[in-house]
Amino acid sequence: MAEDGGARRPSIATIFNPRRGRGSAPSRPSVVVTDEDSPGPPLQLSNGSGLRVGSAGLSGSSTTPVGSPSINLGSPGPPADVEGSVTESPRDTPPSKCCRFRKAVFSKTTRKIVVGWVVTCCVTTSWVGATHLIKDMFLRTASVPTTLTTPLANTTTSSPPYTEAVQREVFDAPFFTTWFCTAWTGLFFPLYLACHSCLRRDKASLRLTLKTIAHNFRDRGKFMTRCCLFCLLWVVTNYMYVYSLRILDCTDVMALYSAHVSFVYLLSWVILHDQFVGVRIVAVIMCNTGIALLAYMDGITRTKTLGGVVLAAASAAGSAVYKVLFKKVIGEASFGQVSLIFTVIALLNTILLSPLVAAFYFSGYETVLWSHLPWPNLLVAAALSLAANLLGNFGIAFTFEIFITLGLVLAVPVSAALDIKWYGVKFEGMKLAGVVLIMCGFFLVLFPANWPEYITKVLRWGRHRKRNQPRQQPEPVDYRTGLISRSHLRSPSGLIR
């Protein structure tokens, strides 16, 4: 064993590490051994050899296994150190904190999360705005001059007619509201084409997209039949939702409608054969209990409240049927196909249901005072409803689906705050319990199917942290006796105390 003065470590004099004299000049090696897989510099040989062995696959007739070193002939290089110099390559250097922070902030997942919260806020705003504007139209009254006649005293004849201002409802037309808001969904396909043209300005891609959409719906008879079915479900569901706003508060209707996620899970489990998750069955039970509490929140004799709760719950069930049937019949549709279906539904609604709207108006079943009609409320409510549907169907292209679903449940507390401030609504007793139970059931439905695995990982992570805590320093050992020096029975020398 010889000790190198520079490294202060023992070195062995071999052909790979020859011992040099103090006055001898370093000799230049003629053979260099390299390993192409290793990031360090080549290992150099001082003896001559005319052999090259490739390490990455076959080179000529060589059959050297992968990972064997390469020997290069006559490659001049710097004199080798006694132990071999090792230099770090740029790939092996760990990234700095700034680089890691930049990657974490500007990663794809982070962008989706940020966009997801923006989409959640937009869905909540549009849903709450549309619901409260429609409710405000139902509550508006106006002084309308009305001609009245009263009979004279002790006579059968009437007095001359006179005009008197009477407070009347300005708007009481839930079916007209449903028809008008559904007609706005006809903008789905034009907006899709406009966005496609802005992102891809070449006409060839637009023509190819239209051909693909038309090819998937080439069976026109079956396509129109399915669109008529979806149009019927859409109109009936929204009509029950709007009609229930005439009876109940906005928060009650929105809470009842948010229970549709539990119905979607039940139908998906039965029809689409989705995975059974026990915690979601608990969520279904909680939602149904909340619906029952809201049904009897004003007592058993208030049949009007019971009817409004039944309509809102039926609207939630109809929405669940619509979503599951759309998944079953249409399947995995592209954005262009979905936008085309919504546009066709809007056209069918506008053409086929216009006579029904006129019949309801002229028969007096629905009341619309055109001179006092709050057009701003109606137009903004229709635009917000369109925005909510656009975000609900196309938001998945920019973020995760859970953020879109969260927008519905977060709309309930926002609506409750507005009801308390504007209408003085009190949430207490069975009403408060029903809303809270439905919201808890909503969050339970959002639990993933493998949620026990996440809990197990969290528990294991906590145990792993405890195990990785720095242990206490071991007691010093007396190497003469092999005993612990801090023993209370023996001294460091091993004698009994």
Side-chain angles (χ1 to χ4, degrees), residues 334-350:
S334 62
F335 294 134
Q337 295 170 359
V338 172
S339 59
L340 178 62
I341 291 173
F342 272 97
T343 301
V344 173
I345 288 174
L347 292 177
L348 292 175
N349 164 79
T350 306

Side-chain angles (χ1 to χ4, degrees), residues 38 300 306 487:
S38 62
I300 303 176
L306 178 61
S487 175

Side-chain angles (χ1 to χ4, degrees), residues 390-410:
L390 285 172
L391 291 173
N393 289 276
F394 298 151
I396 191 64
F398 309 103
T399 182
F400 302 104
E401 188 176 1
I402 188 173
F403 290 102
I404 303 173
T405 312
L406 281 176
L408 297 177
V409 70
L410 291 181

Side-chain angles (χ1 to χ4, degrees), residues 98-337:
C98 294
C99 295
R100 287 180 295 187
F101 179 76
R102 193 181 300 111
K103 286 183 179 180
V105 170
F106 297 102
S107 63
K108 186 177 181 180
T109 305
T110 307
R111 289 198 304 268
K112 278 195 170 185
I113 292 174
V114 173
V115 174
W117 285 114
V118 174
V119 170
T120 300
C121 295
C122 293
V123 170
T124 301
T125 304
S126 58
W127 197 254
V128 173
T131 304
H132 278 267
L133 287 174
I134 294 173
K135 179 69 175 179
D136 181 68
M137 288 193 299
F138 289 142
L139 296 177
R140 286 196 177 189
T141 58
S143 297
V144 180
T146 306
T147 302
L148 301 176
T149 58
T150 56
L152 295 175
N154 301 325
T155 60
T156 57
T157 61
S158 300
S159 62
Y162 65 96
T163 303
E164 183 181 355
V166 179
Q167 292 289 332
R168 291 186 55 187
E169 292 181 349
V170 173
F171 186 83
D172 187 13
F175 190 82
F176 172 75
T177 306
T178 305
W179 175 85
F180 186 79
C181 293
T182 305
W184 277 59
T185 58
L187 298 175
F188 263 72
F189 196 64
L191 289 176
Y192 171 77
L193 293 180
C195 295
H196 190 280
S197 301
C198 293
L199 296 177
R200 300 179 181 179
R201 298 186 178 181
D202 53 331
K203 297 182 179 180
S205 62
L206 180 60
R207 194 179 299 110
L208 180 61
T209 302
L210 294 176
K211 285 184 179 180
T212 305
I213 296 173
H215 177 73
N216 293 331
F217 297 132
R218 53 189 174 182
D219 192 352
R220 297 180 180 178
K222 187 181 295 185
F223 173 69
M224 294 304 297
T225 304
R226 293 173 178 176
C227 287
C228 289
L229 173 62
F230 292 136
C231 178
L232 179 63
L233 286 173
W234 180 276
V235 172
V236 170
T237 298
N238 286 274
Y239 174 72
M240 291 188 292
Y241 181 87
V242 175
Y243 195 93
S244 62
L245 288 173
R246 298 175 64 251
I247 307 171
L248 304 175
D249 298 325
C250 295
T251 305
D252 301 337
V253 177
M254 297 178 74
L256 289 167
Y257 183 79
S258 62
H260 79 279
V261 293
S262 62
F263 301 143
V264 168
Y265 167 68
L266 282 179
L267 293 176
S268 301
W269 178 38
V270 175
I271 298 176
L272 302 180
H273 306 289
D274 284 355
Q275 182 181 357
F276 174 80
V277 183
V279 70
R280 294 180 183 174
I281 297 298
V282 178
V284 173
I285 297 173
M286 294 180 68
C287 289
N288 292 334
T289 306
I291 293 173
L293 290 176
L294 290 176
Y296 297 103
M297 61 183 173
D298 293 333
I300 303 176
T301 57
R302 295 292 300 274
T303 56
K304 189 176 181 181
T305 302
L306 178 61
V309 172
V310 169
L311 283 174
S315 173
S319 176
V321 172
Y322 174 86
K323 291 182 178 181
V324 174
L325 278 183
F326 194 92
K327 183 75 172 180
K328 180 72 174 180
V329 176
I330 304 299
E332 295 294 338
S334 62
F335 294 134
Q337 295 170 359

Side-chain angles (χ1 to χ4, degrees), residues 40-60:
L43 184 64
Q44 301 172 351
L45 294 179
S46 59
N47 60 337
S49 176
L51 179 63
R52 172 171 176 80
V53 183
S55 61
L58 300 177
S59 176

